């Protein structure tokens, strides 16, 4: 009978369980076999050396190329970045796992009943995704923000579409005849058009305009909502992104690219009114007049704001009416609308609501998923 796990070894195994939970939440396929192999793999490396542990676990837990980036995010979320000056590396605090302990974590032999003193490890079979869906953005931890990044990227791929004037060949009978292919097929039947060909309309992306409030009242939600803006810009072409507080700033070019952290740093450098006041009417006025060509007719405009406005409500009413006439749909995401007793009592929201098609909460991943479903239906 093998001796029980040492306390330090139990700590390392517990962190491995957290690591696999984070990987599963991001979509990586990690099962019991991979977890047990990872535990045995630590027996062959020096657990006090961070890079050796990271490379060993990455070899075992990553089965696809996309899993490499997910693993790096999950490893930093569970074990830290290891770059705190004057502090001991997180892995060294757990000590060295004894070699005599690790073989006891192998899969038990079905023919031999397990002894009552044998150490049994039960990996978590649940996911953190369901917990994050309804959790308010203002209560997210740093590790949960890393987890939500991949989920937000999936939601950003869902976009509005519209019928295009272009058509494509179709095998089903339709209303648009394909004369060229019909004539070409008739050459096989002595010029008789016995086999008619058809074409069907195609779908093309509809212009999406995202306008995010970065004022002081939106500070708890601005970071997560800017992540959604960056994911939309990185996933699609026909997207325009703006941020506003006391003034409107176009950040489409700054949010371009796959590197999330660099994109947000570039956006923060050009947006000079973070955590300041709010003038929604002036921002919408600039959007209508200065960026009207970029917005264009037939766009879907999504405004992410709590509606607290220091400007004149009359101006907001006039500019929202102008925007509604040019846009195909106007959707407003308000984090305060998540409360069941919410009513648009603020002056800004009272002026804006009559000119919006949908008012949704914007405080969680569930609200962004609801927005994605509406965009696909448009």
């Amino acid at each position: 009978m093998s001796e029980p796990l040492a306390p330090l070894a139990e700590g390392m195994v517990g962190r491995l369980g957290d690591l696999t939970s984070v990987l599963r939440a991001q979509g990586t396929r990690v099962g019991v076999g991979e977890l047990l192999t990872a535990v045995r793999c630590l027996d062959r490396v020096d657990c006090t050396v961070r890079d050796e542990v990271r490379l060993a676990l990455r070899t075992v837990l990553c089965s696809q190329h996309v899993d490499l980036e997910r693993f790096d995010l999950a490893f930093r979320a569970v074990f830290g970045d290891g770059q705190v000056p004057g502090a001991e590396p997180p892995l060294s605090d757990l000590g060295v796992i004894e070699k005599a302990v690790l073989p006891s974590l192998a899969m038990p032999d079905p023919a031999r009943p397990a002894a009552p003193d044998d150490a049994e490890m039960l990996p978590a079979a649940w996911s953190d995704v369901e917990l994050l869906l309804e959790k308010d953005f203002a209560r997210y931890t740093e590790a949960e923000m890393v987890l939500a990044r991949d989920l937000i990227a999936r939601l950003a791929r869902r976009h509005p579409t519209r019928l295009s004037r272009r058509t494509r060949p179709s095998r089903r009978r339709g209303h648009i005849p394909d004369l060229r292919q019909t004539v070409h097929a008739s050459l096989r039947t002595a010029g008789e058009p016995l086999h008619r060909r058809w074409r069907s309309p195609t779908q093309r992306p509809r212009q999406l305009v995202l306008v995010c409030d970065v004022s002081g009242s939106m500070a708890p939600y601005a970071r997560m909502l800017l992540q959604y803006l960056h994911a939309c810009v990185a996933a699609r072409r026909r997207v325009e992104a703006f941020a506003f507080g006391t003034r409107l700033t176009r950040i489409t070019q700054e949010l371009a690219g796959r590197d999330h952290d660099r994109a947000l740093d570039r956006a923060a450098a050009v947006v000079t009114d973070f955590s300041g006041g709010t003038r929604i009417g002036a921002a919408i006025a600039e959007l209508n007049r200065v960026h009207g060509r970029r917005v264009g007719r037939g766009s879907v405009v999504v405004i992410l704001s709590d509606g607290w406005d220091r400007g004149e409500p009359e101006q907001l009413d006039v500019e929202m009416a102008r925007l509604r006439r040019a846009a195909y749909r106007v959707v407003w995401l308000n984090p305060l609308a998540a409360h069941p007793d919410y009513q648009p009592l603020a002056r800004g929201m009272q002026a804006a609501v009559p000119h919006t098609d949908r008012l949704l909460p914007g405080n969680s991943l569930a609200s962004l998923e609801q927005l994605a479903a509406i965009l696909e239906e448009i």
Side-chain angles (χ1 to χ4, degrees):
M1 182 182 304
S2 60
E3 58 181 276
L5 288 172
L8 294 178
E10 290 180 352
M12 176 64 80
V13 172
R15 289 199 176 188
L16 284 180
D18 296 339
L19 180 63
T20 55
S21 297
V22 174
L23 288 173
R24 281 194 291 265
Q26 297 184 87
T28 302
R29 300 182 62 181
V30 180
V32 179
E34 288 80 4
L35 180 58
L36 296 177
T37 305
V39 175
R40 290 195 296 268
C41 183
L42 294 178
D43 183 35
R44 306 300 180 184
V45 299
D46 186 358
C47 293
T48 61
V49 180
R50 179 186 180 84
D51 288 338
E52 290 190 14
V53 174
R54 181 180 63 84
L55 295 175
L57 294 179
R58 190 174 70 168
T59 303
V60 175
L61 300 179
C62 297
S63 56
Q64 300 179 0
H65 181 73
V66 70
D67 294 338
L68 298 178
E69 182 179 358
R70 296 173 179 173
F71 176 84
D72 293 337
L73 295 175
F75 190 84
R76 288 195 299 267
V78 175
F79 294 100
D81 55 10
Q83 298 178 358
V84 180
E88 293 294 332
L91 298 180
S92 63
D93 295 340
L94 297 175
V96 181
I97 299 181
E98 300 177 1
K99 296 183 179 181
V101 177
L102 291 175
S104 64
L105 296 176
M107 294 298 293
D109 187 359
R112 181 180 66 86
D117 295 335
D118 284 349
E120 182 180 2
M121 181 179 59
L122 298 177
W126 51 271
S127 174
D128 293 332
V129 176
E130 295 183 1
L131 300 178
L132 294 181
L133 286 177
E134 300 294 340
K135 190 172 183 179
D136 195 282
F137 286 151
R139 297 188 291 111
Y140 268 34
T141 63
E142 292 293 332
E144 289 171 340
M145 289 183 181
V146 174
L147 277 177
R149 187 176 302 175
D150 189 65
L151 302 176
I152 289 177
R154 298 180 192 177
L155 295 176
R157 300 189 189 105
R158 302 164 64 178
H159 54 84
T161 58
R162 66 177 181 86
L163 287 178
S164 173
R165 295 181 180 179
R166 295 179 179 271
T167 59
R168 61 182 178 183
S170 175
R171 294 185 178 182
R172 296 183 179 181
R173 180 184 178 90
H175 300 285
I176 305 177
D178 191 340
L179 299 180
R180 182 177 180 179
Q181 293 297 326
T182 300
V183 172
H184 182 74
S186 67
L187 298 179
R188 301 179 180 178
T189 55
E192 294 290 337
L194 300 180
H195 304 286
R196 288 182 291 179
R197 299 291 187 264
W198 305 91
R199 301 185 69 86
S200 62
T202 59
Q203 298 283 339
R204 63 176 302 178
R206 186 181 291 274
Q207 177 82 0
L208 179 63
V209 180
L210 301 168
V211 187
C212 183
D213 186 349
V214 294
S215 62
S217 59
M218 284 287 293
Y221 304 96
R223 181 176 177 182
M224 295 302 299
L225 294 179
L226 285 176
Q227 285 193 25
Y228 179 70
L229 264 66
H230 167 254
C232 290
V233 172
R236 300 192 293 270
R237 289 184 177 180
R238 305 197 64 190
V239 178
E240 288 289 340
F242 298 88
F244 73 92
T246 56
R247 55 186 294 270
L248 184 74
T249 305
R250 181 174 180 262
I251 55 175
T252 306
Q253 297 296 331
E254 286 73 18
L255 293 180
R258 298 291 181 178
D259 194 319
H260 172 81
D261 295 327
R262 291 185 178 179
L264 292 187
D265 290 341
R266 291 193 298 266
V270 298
V271 179
T272 59
D273 51 353
F274 265 111
S275 300
T278 313
R279 297 176 58 197
I280 306 178
I284 301 300
E286 185 175 354
L287 179 67
N288 288 332
R289 289 165 174 77
V290 179
H291 304 282
R293 289 188 175 182
R294 289 193 174 95
V295 174
R297 290 190 174 273
S299 301
V300 177
V301 181
V302 180
I303 302 175
L304 307 98
S305 173
D306 55 5
W308 292 103
D309 187 16
R310 293 184 178 181
E312 296 297 330
E314 292 78 10
Q315 182 186 21
L316 179 58
D317 180 49
V318 172
E319 296 302 332
M320 284 296 299
R322 182 188 181 103
L323 179 64
R324 182 62 188 86
R325 290 193 296 268
Y328 180 73
R329 292 289 187 273
V330 177
V331 182
W332 194 296
L333 265 66
N334 189 336
L336 303 180
H339 196 278
D341 298 330
Y342 170 78
Q343 294 182 0
L345 301 180
R347 296 189 307 168
M349 290 307 302
Q350 288 181 350
V353 165
H355 307 289
T356 58
D357 296 286
R358 297 293 297 271
L359 176 61
L360 304 175
N363 68 318
S364 63
L365 289 175
S367 62
L368 295 182
E369 186 174 10
Q370 186 179 3
L371 171 64
I374 291 176
L375 294 179
E376 287 184 330
E377 294 174 359
I378 293 177

